[in-house]
C-alpha cells in the first residue's frame, strides 16, 4: 500500500513537470513578460516623479537668485558694503558710529558691478514696515505706482525737525527763482544783443566756410557768453544740426532752425514748454563729516531706507531746506532731467563730457521731508499721478495749464497734506531693466500748492545717479583717487566744491 502511494506521488510530479498548462514551471515566458511589464511601469513613474521634483527645485533656485539680486543688489561702491543698517542710525540724540563717508575709499572697489535697488510698491494703499532706527518700526504706505511714491509718517521726530529748521535759519535763506510775470521770465532768457540770423550764423561759423558744424556750436557754449545767444538757443540749434543728414547746417537750414529756437513754445514735437515758476526761500545744508549729527543721521536713514550704495548717497547733493510763506508756491516740474547728447549730469562734471552744452540735474529719486505742519494749503501735488496714460497735451484742460499750481492745484490727481515729521519718497526715473537708471518717469511731475495759512518748512534730499553707467563709474573712481591722494589731509579741509557742485 505504501509502495503504491509512493508510485502515484512520483507519477504526479512527473506529469506536472511535463504539463504545459501547469504553473509556474511551464509558463516561463508569460511570467517573465509580466514581471518585466510591472518593472517598466514602476521605473517610468519613478522617472516622471524624479524629473518633476528636479525641475521644481531648479525653478526655485533660479527664483531665489533673482529675488536676492534685484532686492539686495550686488554690493556697494565703497569698501564693498551695502546700505547702512538700522544699527548705524540713532534716535536723534547722538551717533554711535562715524559717518559712512569717513571710511577709506579704495579705487579698486569701483570696478565691482553694482545696481540700483528699488522698493516694490505692490499696490496703492499697501503698507510695509521698515526699520530705520533702533527699537522702532516705521510704516511705509504706497500712495502711487506712477510714479512709484511712498509716504513714511514719523520719519523725523519733532525735535529733529526743529533742529533742521534752526540750522537753515542760522545758515541764512535766499530767494528761490521767481519772477513777477511770464513776460519777465521770457525776457530773462533772451540774449542782450539783437542780431540778425545771418550775423548769428557768421559768428558761429568759426572757419567761415559757409557750413556750421557741431564743434563750432560747442566751442561757443564753452565761452558762456549769453549776450547774443542763450543756452536754450544753443540746445535747439544743436538739436536741429543733429537731425540733419549731413551733420552740417547751411545758412538756409540755419534760418529754419534758428527761427524755431527763438520760439521755444512752438517746436515741432508739440510738447508743452511752460516756464518754471517758484516763490520761496531756500538754503543748502552740508551733511558730511563735521556737520551736525542730526544732518548726518538723516543721510544715514536715507541710505537705510533706499538700500542704495552708500557712496551714491554720500556724494549726492546737500540737503535743500525751503521755507514757504503765505502765497508761496512751486509750479509742477520734474526734479530730474532727460538725458541728451548735448547735456551732462552736473554731479559728474569732474569726469564729464567736455563737449556737452549744459549741465543738468540727474536725480534718481527724491525724498521730501515735511519739517512743519501747515494750517491750510501748501500740499504737495502730483497732477498726473496714476493716470492711465500720459499725454503732455492733456496738461492743458479748458485753456487751463495743470502745471500752474496757483490756479489749478485742486485739480491734481494726488495731493498730500504737509505734516511735520512725514517723509515722501518717489522715483524720478524708471528702471532700464538691467538694474540701472532708465528714462525719466513723466508721471513724477509735481509741485507745491500755495500756502493759505501758516508757514511751510520742507527739506529735499536727492540721490544723484548718471544714466551713463560708465560715466558714473568714472566719477566714482575719480573721487576715490582724490581721497587716496589726500589721505593725510583732514576731510574737513576739503571744500565741498572739490567733490560736488551745488545745483
Amino acid at each position: 500500500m505504501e509502495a503504491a502511494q509512493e508510485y502515484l506521488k512520483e507519477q504526479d510530479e512527473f506529469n506536472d513537470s511535463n504539463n504545459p498548462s501547469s504553473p509556474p514551471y511551464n509558463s516561463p515566458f508569460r511570467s517573465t513578460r509580466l514581471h518585466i511589464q510591472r518593472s517598466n511601469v514602476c521605473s517610468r513613474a519613478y522617472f516622471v516623479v524624479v524629473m518633476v521634483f528636479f525641475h521644481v527645485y531648479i525653478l526655485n533656485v533660479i527664483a531665489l537668485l533673482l529675488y536676492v539680486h534685484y532686492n539686495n543688489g550686488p554690493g556697494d561702491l565703497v569698501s564693498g558694503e551695502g546700505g547702512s543698517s538700522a544699527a548705524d542710525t540713532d534716535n536723534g540724540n547722538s551717533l554711535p558710529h562715524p559717518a559712512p563717508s569717513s571710511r577709506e575709499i579704495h579705487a579698486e572697489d569701483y570696478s565691482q558691478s553694482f545696481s540700483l535697488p528699488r522698493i516694490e510698491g505692490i499696490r496703492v494703499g499697501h503698507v510695509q514696515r521698515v526699520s530705520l532706527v533702533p527699537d522702532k518700526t516705521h510704516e511705509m504706505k504706497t500712495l502711487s505706482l506712477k510714479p512709484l511714491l511712498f509716504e513714511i509718517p514719523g520719519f523725523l521726530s519733532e525735535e529733529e525737525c526743529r533742529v533742521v529748521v534752526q540750522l537753515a535759519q542760522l545758515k541764512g535763506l535766499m530767494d528761490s527763482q521767481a519772477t513777477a510775470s511770464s513776460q519777465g521770465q521770457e525776457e530773462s532768457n533772451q540774449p542782450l544783443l539783437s542780431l540778425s540770423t545771418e550775423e548769428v550764423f557768421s559768428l558761429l561759423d568759426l572757419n567761415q566756410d559757409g557750413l556750421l558744424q557741431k564743434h563750432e556750436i560747442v566751442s561757443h557754449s564753452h565761452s558762456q557768453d549769453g549776450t547774443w545767444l542763450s543756452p536754450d538757443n544753443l540746445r535747439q540749434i544743436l538739436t536741429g544740426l543733429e537731425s540733419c543728414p549731413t551733420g552740417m547746417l547751411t545758412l538756409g537750414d540755419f534760418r529754419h532752425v534758428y527761427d524755431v529756437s527763438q520760439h521755444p513754445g512752438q517746436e515741432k514735437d508739440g510738447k508743452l514748454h511752460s516756464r518754471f515758476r517758484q516763490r520761496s526761500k531756500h538754503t543748502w545744508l552740508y551733511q558730511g563729516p563735521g556737520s551736525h549729527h542730526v544732518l548726518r543721521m538723516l543721510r544715514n536713514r536715507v541710505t537705510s531706507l533706499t538700500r542704495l550704495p552708500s557712496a551714491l548717497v554720500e556724494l549726492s547733493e546737500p540737503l535743500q531746506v525751503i521755507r514757504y510763506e503765505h502765497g508761496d508756491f512751486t509750479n509742477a516740474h520734474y526734479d530730474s532731467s532727460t538725458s541728451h547728447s548735448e547735456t551732462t549730469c552736473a554731479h559728474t562734471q569732474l569726469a564729464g563730457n567736455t563737449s556737452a552744452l549744459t549741465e543738468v540735474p540727474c536725480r534718481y529719486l527724491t525724498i521730501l521731508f515735511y519739517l512743519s505742519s501747515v494750517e491750510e494749503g501748501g500740499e504737495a501735488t502730483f497732477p498726473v499721478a496714476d493716470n492711465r496714460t500720459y499725454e503732455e497735451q492733456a496738461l492743458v484742460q479748458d485753456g487751463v495749464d495743470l502745471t500752474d499750481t496757483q490756479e489749478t492745484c485742486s485739480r491734481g490727481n494726488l495731493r498730500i497734506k504737509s505734516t511735520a515729521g512725514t517723509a515722501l519718497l518717489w522715483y524720478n526715473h524708471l528702471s532700464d531693466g538691467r538694474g540701472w537708471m532708465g528714462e525719466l518717469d513723466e508721471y513724477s511731475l509735481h509741485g507745491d500748492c500755495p500756502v493759505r495759512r501758516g508757514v511751510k518748512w520742507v527739506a529735499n534730499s536727492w540721490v544723484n545717479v548718471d544714466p551713463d553707467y560708465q560715466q558714473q563709474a568714472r566719477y566714482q573712481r575719480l573721487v576715490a583717487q582724490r581721497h587716496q591722494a589726500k589721505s593725510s589731509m583732514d576731510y574737513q579741509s576739503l571744500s565741498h566744491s572739490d567733490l560736488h557742485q551745488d545745483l
Side-chain angles (χ1 to χ4, degrees), residues 124 126 153 198 220 241 328 340 354 382 398 406 437 479 503:
V124 175
H126 176 72
E198 291 75 10
H220 172 71
L241 183 143
D328 289 352
H340 298 288
T354 57
F382 290 78
D398 301 327
Q406 281 188 300
M437 187 168 82
V479 174
L503 296 180

Side-chain angles (χ1 to χ4, degrees), residues 146-161:
K146 298 188 304 184
L148 194 53
L149 169 64
F150 304 92
E151 181 184 45
I152 309 101
F155 191 92
L156 289 174
S157 66
E158 292 183 4
E159 177 66 16
E160 291 165 347
C161 292

Side-chain angles (χ1 to χ4, degrees), residues 273-293:
H273 292 274
S274 59
R275 301 272 182 184
F276 173 73
R277 291 188 296 163
Q278 179 181 28
R279 194 171 75 196
S280 61
K281 295 181 181 294
H282 77 280
T283 191
W284 301 87
L285 298 179
Y286 174 64
Q287 294 181 272
S291 62
H292 196 282
H293 75 274

Side-chain angles (χ1 to χ4, degrees), residues 152-405:
I152 309 101
F155 191 92
L156 289 174
S157 66
E158 292 183 4
E159 177 66 16
E160 291 165 347
C161 292
R162 183 185 62 81
V163 169
V164 175
V165 170
Q166 288 181 343
L167 291 173
Q169 291 174 326
L170 290 173
K171 175 74 177 294
L173 287 83
M174 65 186 73
D175 288 331
S176 301
Q177 177 183 356
T179 53
S181 64
S182 59
Q183 180 180 4
Q185 285 186 349
E186 294 175 1
E187 292 176 354
S188 64
N189 196 44
Q190 295 298 319
L192 300 177
L193 300 178
S194 179
L195 302 176
S196 66
T197 303
E198 291 75 10
E199 290 172 330
V200 173
F201 182 85
S202 178
L203 289 172
L204 289 174
D205 187 12
L206 298 179
N207 57 7
Q208 296 296 304
D209 61 350
L211 296 173
L212 198 57
Q213 304 176 33
K214 181 177 180 179
H215 70 87
E216 294 175 319
I217 301 175
V218 172
S219 64
H220 172 71
S221 69
H222 294 163
S223 68
Q224 298 181 350
D225 179 10
T227 58
W228 56 279
L229 202 59
S230 70
D232 285 342
N233 297 148
L234 282 169
R235 281 192 293 270
Q236 293 298 325
I237 293 171
L238 186 60
T239 300
L241 183 143
E242 291 178 343
S243 63
C244 186
T246 61
M248 297 179 290
L249 293 176
T250 63
L251 179 58
D253 298 330
F254 180 77
R255 283 196 180 96
H256 174 70
V257 173
Y258 186 66
D259 288 343
V260 172
S261 72
Q262 293 294 90
H263 304 283
Q266 303 176 5
E267 282 98 346
K268 290 182 180 180
D269 57 10
K271 291 196 172 187
L272 183 68
H273 292 274
S274 59
R275 301 272 182 184
F276 173 73
R277 291 188 296 163
Q278 179 181 28
R279 194 171 75 196
S280 61
K281 295 181 181 294
H282 77 280
T283 191
W284 301 87
L285 298 179
Y286 174 64
Q287 294 181 272
S291 62
H292 196 282
H293 75 274
V294 170
L295 298 179
R296 287 182 285 136
M297 168 275 303
L298 192 57
R299 173 155 286 183
N300 288 346
R301 287 186 193 172
V302 169
T303 304
S304 298
L305 176 64
T306 61
R307 292 179 295 155
L308 291 170
S310 57
L312 291 179
V313 179
E314 294 157 14
L315 297 179
S316 294
E317 298 172 63
L319 185 71
Q320 184 190 41
V321 182
I322 308 176
R323 172 189 171 98
Y324 295 89
E325 298 179 353
H326 177 75
D328 289 352
F329 67 96
T330 302
N331 269 5
H333 62 284
Y334 298 106
D335 280 352
S336 192
S337 305
T338 55
S339 58
H340 298 288
S341 59
E342 69 272 15
T343 62
T344 186
C345 293
H347 76 282
T348 56
Q349 61 166 325
L350 292 174
N353 181 9
T354 57
S355 64
L357 287 174
T358 310
E359 295 174 359
V360 297
C362 299
R363 296 158 172 166
Y364 177 57
L365 59 80
T366 298
I367 302 183
L368 183 146
F369 310 103
Y370 286 120
L371 304 177
S372 68
S373 299
V374 180
E375 299 178 36
E376 183 181 351
E379 303 93 343
T381 176
F382 290 78
V384 295
D386 279 332
N387 267 4
R388 183 169 299 178
T389 58
Y390 177 84
E391 295 180 359
E392 196 168 20
Q393 293 81 359
L395 290 173
V396 178
Q397 299 180 2
D398 301 327
V400 179
D401 187 354
L402 294 183
T403 63
D404 185 359
T405 58

